[in-house]
Amino acid sequence: MAHVFEYPSKELASAHGLDSTQLEETYIGLFVNRLGGIPAPLYAGCHISEINRLEFMEHFSAACRQIGLSLDSSYPPDYIPMMLEVLAAMGSLPNSSDTEFNDIHQQFFLEWPHTFACILEREDSTGIYAAAAREIADILG
């Protein structure tokens, strides 16, 4: 699911009956650059009210290190596709417990998925990104 939020490919556009230019323009307008501001930045900390984004990122990084995962330093720690990959990777860690998973879920995955999905449901003209975000929000509860 995280792959949907990577820069769009011709294959993704074709799979949804769209021209790749249309999907690319939608992606850029939603996540990269738009006159008046980006409605749906791909960073979780931007979708959480009353939180210090820097602290959120520092706490998430620390939680990942504590369970033995290192984050790709080419992205901020709250980059949504990477955060979703952390959850997926936790299932394959040899010493990962349900308690650790639940703690990380509770601390870092409760508020932003719903907010992110609501923005995309309002702003995504293709419906692809909105559907992916809603599915993520529903799964993460």
Side-chain angles (χ1 to χ4, degrees):
M1 191 63 55
H3 72 281
V4 171
F5 295 109
E6 294 172 359
Y7 201 76
S9 65
K10 288 183 180 183
E11 294 79 27
L12 178 65
S14 176
H16 293 281
L18 297 169
D19 176 83
S20 61
T21 303
Q22 178 188 9
L23 190 58
E24 182 178 318
E25 288 173 357
T26 300
Y27 182 92
I28 290 169
L30 290 170
F31 308 120
V32 180
N33 187 18
R34 183 190 221 173
L35 187 60
I38 303 166
L42 286 172
Y43 305 99
C46 296
H47 303 288
I48 301 173
S49 59
E50 299 181 29
I51 192 163
N52 179 313
R53 182 174 171 216
L54 181 58
E55 286 179 16
F56 179 83
M57 291 189 297
E58 289 171 350
H59 291 148
F60 184 68
S61 292
C64 289
R65 282 191 306 275
Q66 186 174 353
I67 61 169
L69 291 174
S70 60
L71 302 176
D72 181 347
S73 62
S74 60
Y75 297 100
D78 67 337
Y79 181 59
I80 290 171
M82 188 168 59
M83 290 185 71
L84 296 172
E85 289 173 8
V86 164
L87 283 182
M90 285 184 72
S92 64
L93 291 175
N95 297 324
S96 181
S97 70
D98 287 346
T99 302
E100 287 174 325
F101 181 87
N102 289 334
D103 288 347
I104 287 180
H105 176 260
Q106 293 290 319
Q107 290 179 44
F108 304 106
F109 291 90
L110 289 184
E111 186 176 347
W112 68 261
H114 178 70
T115 303
F116 184 63
C118 286
I119 291 167
L120 287 173
E121 287 167 347
R122 185 178 63 243
E123 300 285 338
D124 176 17
S125 61
T126 68
I128 294 170
Y129 302 112
R134 175 52 49 205
E135 188 169 331
I136 289 165
D138 290 347
I139 290 168
L140 295 177

